[in-house]
Amino acid sequence: MSDTMIATETPTDEQPTHGVKLSDIAAGKVRSLLEQEGRDDLRLRVAVQPGGCSGLIYQLYFDERLLDGDMTRDFGGVEVVVDQMSVPYLDGASIDFEDTIQKQGFTIDNPNASGSCACGDSFH
């Protein structure tokens, strides 16, 4: 998957950066979704929250806010935001997008996850 990562990722001027990576395919899907929404003021927020069978769940959603402690990284015009609490859990994680007959959606490959539940929706 590393060969599909965007090589021109750059931190924004005002916010510190994080270690989450977004593949070209995922960035393209995010751009497409933002175009459908008709919004250019939204960012992709990636977070970790308590919950699920294994203790932690991922959250991916569009957000217009930047909060204190947020870290940002730009991937070819797609700004990815991670809150301060989630950064250690997501450092080195890669986000991709699958579109196959069996599955459609964003996937997260996280080297920090030591295990996950059977349904695959949560990790620890």
Side-chain angles (χ1 to χ4, degrees), residues 5 34 43 53 55 73 83 100 104 115:
M5 292 294 151
L34 289 173
R43 302 161 179 88
C53 309
R73 194 167 175 182
D83 65 88
T100 67
Q104 183 181 39

Side-chain angles (χ1 to χ4, degrees), residues 24-112:
D24 288 332
I25 294 169
K29 184 62 177 178
V30 170
R31 277 192 292 277
S32 173
L33 292 169
L34 289 173
E35 287 172 13
Q36 288 175 18
E37 292 291 320
R39 305 270 309 260
D40 61 0
D41 62 331
L42 297 176
R43 302 161 179 88
L44 178 65
R45 182 172 291 277
V46 184
V48 171
Q49 298 292 322
C53 309
S54 293
L56 297 169
I57 56 172
Y58 298 112
Q59 292 189 329
L60 276 76
Y61 58 95
F62 292 126
D63 198 350
E64 58 191 20
R65 304 165 300 147
L66 273 179
L67 306 172
D68 284 342
D70 280 349
M71 296 188 182
T72 66
R73 194 167 175 182
D74 185 83
F75 294 88
V78 173
E79 189 174 8
V80 176
V81 179
V82 180
D83 65 88
Q84 187 174 4
M85 192 273 310
S86 299
V87 167
Y89 295 102
L90 295 169
D91 190 39
S94 300
I95 301 172
D96 201 1
F97 185 81
E98 286 187 37
D99 191 2
T100 67
I101 196 165
Q102 295 177 335
K103 182 179 181 180
Q104 183 181 39
F106 290 96
T107 62
I108 299 177
D109 181 19
N110 188 351
N112 301 304

